[in-house]
Amino acid sequence: MPVNQDVIITCALTGAGDTVGRSPHVPVTPAQIAASAVEAAGAGAAVVHIHVREPETGAPSRDPLLYREVVERIRETGTDVVINLTAGMGGDLVIDPEAPLRQLPGTDLVGGLDRLPHVEDLLPDICTLDCGSLNFGDGSNLYVSTPDMLRTGAKRIQELGVRPELEIFDTGQLWFAKQLLAEGLLDDPTVFQLCMGIPWGAPADPGVLQAMVTMLPQDAQWASFALGRMQMPWVAQSILLGGHVRVGLEDNLYLGKGVKATNGQLVERAVRITESLGSRVATPDEAREKLGLRPRA
């Protein structure tokens, strides 16, 4: 597995986790998220991965109008960056362990097509497709993405001409993503994001990452990330195995012990690691070519 010489850096700007109260740098409003995207692009990110939040509370949201405002604000600046919108919202199920058919607060569970209205509206370069269900952390939180939901979502994303980024949280999900490819529901080049260290998915273990890389379809484009203090070591790990990288406040809030980061600072650190390995950072146009995206309008 050769070292990747031309590395696409993705910055995951805000995510949906309960991080707003833990760092003043986590962007919340559309204006803040867009400004953070511009900052990350200026620091070297070719791709920005976008969630939105309720502006008043910071709670995760899937409001299409919030996505529209973020994307329009980024585009109005003239910033050259690849737009990657999450389509993973709407899969959260919190059950009562004593009465599992009863849903608890925090549940936001809709079908595959109902996770895509902002993608249909905005036609981003990329949207995510979370390729399976998962015990999401401790307690009774589940992320639900069934084979039927995934086939429905993949087909619609394909019809829209948007490139799906296949979010892989464990090896079985990678197995199923390859099944989608075999069924003609994915177009080449396939784009994978190997998500490591999320309890209870694939652990942030280099051996597990290498095993997942060997499972990828031939000629797939892939990146990986890991959470928290493993974020920067995983930049090097991904590059050494031939992949691209993801950093950002969705996955890690710190530059070092006790030092809160901005998205731009995390991207700058990833750029330094990339270049210290003898690789170079891909431009947005180079990312578009590698990922099979439309040229910039």
Side-chain angles (χ1 to χ4, degrees):
M1 297 177 188
V3 174
N4 187 4
Q5 297 297 319
D6 297 291
V7 178
I8 299 168
I9 296 177
T10 293
C11 186
L13 301 171
T14 188
D18 186 19
T19 54
V20 172
R22 294 163 52 198
S23 171
H25 303 305
V26 175
V28 173
T29 68
Q32 291 169 345
I33 295 168
S36 199
V38 172
E39 176 197 20
V47 181
V48 287
H49 174 56
I50 298 170
H51 288 248
V52 294
R53 294 175 179 268
E54 294 295 337
E56 300 300 323
T57 66
S61 174
R62 49 187 175 86
D63 183 344
L65 294 179
L66 295 175
Y67 282 103
R68 171 169 283 279
E69 183 177 351
V70 171
V71 171
E72 287 179 347
R73 284 178 176 273
I74 294 170
R75 290 174 174 165
E76 285 168 0
T77 69
T79 299
D80 185 11
V81 70
V82 175
I83 301 293
N84 176 340
L85 299 184
T86 185
M89 302 300 291
D92 297 315
L93 173 61
V94 186
I95 65 169
D96 183 337
E98 302 302 322
L101 293 180
R102 186 163 72 92
Q103 299 178 8
L104 298 181
T107 294
D108 179 29
L109 185 59
V110 297
L113 292 181
D114 289 330
R115 303 180 193 189
L116 296 174
H118 60 303
V119 177
E120 295 175 328
D121 176 35
L122 297 169
L123 298 178
D125 303 290
I126 300 168
C127 74
T128 61
L129 186 66
D130 292 45
C131 288
S133 301
L134 182 73
N135 286 330
F136 203 80
D138 280 331
S140 296
N141 299 345
L142 306 170
Y143 183 81
V144 178
S145 189
T146 68
D148 284 345
M149 290 175 175
L150 285 164
R151 287 186 172 97
T152 299
K155 181 178 180 181
R156 183 59 180 143
I157 293 166
Q158 188 179 54
E159 291 169 350
L160 294 170
V162 175
R163 180 70 63 196
E165 181 183 76
L166 305 165
E167 306 293 298
I168 305 296
F169 294 86
D170 215 339
T171 52
Q173 297 186 7
L174 179 48
W175 184 10
F176 186 74
K178 292 167 70 174
Q179 179 63 27
L180 291 176
L181 179 61
E183 293 176 12
L185 293 170
L186 302 174
D187 298 322
D188 288 322
T190 47
V191 178
F192 287 81
Q193 183 70 254
L194 307 179
C195 312
M196 316 295 288
I198 292 91
W200 298 105
D205 179 292
V208 175
L209 178 61
Q210 184 163 16
M212 294 172 77
V213 171
T214 63
M215 291 177 61
L216 290 168
Q218 188 174 7
D219 300 325
Q221 293 288 329
W222 68 274
S224 74
F225 71 87
L227 299 187
R229 65 183 183 85
M230 294 301 292
Q231 183 173 81
M232 292 306 165
W234 227 250
V235 170
Q237 189 68 59
S238 296
I239 294 169
L240 292 172
L241 287 177
H244 305 292
V245 304
R246 168 172 140 173
V247 295
L249 294 175
E250 177 171 348
D251 308 319
N252 165 48
L253 300 177
Y254 293 91
L255 274 178
K257 187 175 177 61
V259 181
K260 301 287 178 65
T262 68
N263 278 312
Q265 289 171 332
L266 293 172
V267 173
E268 289 170 356
R269 180 73 58 84
V271 168
R272 290 200 295 272
I273 293 170
T274 300
E275 293 176 342
S276 72
L277 293 172
S279 300
R280 59 179 295 278
V281 175
T283 67
D285 278 342
E286 290 168 337
R288 292 183 183 99
E289 183 176 359
K290 284 178 177 290
L291 303 179
L293 306 178
R294 299 180 297 267
R296 188 187 186 198

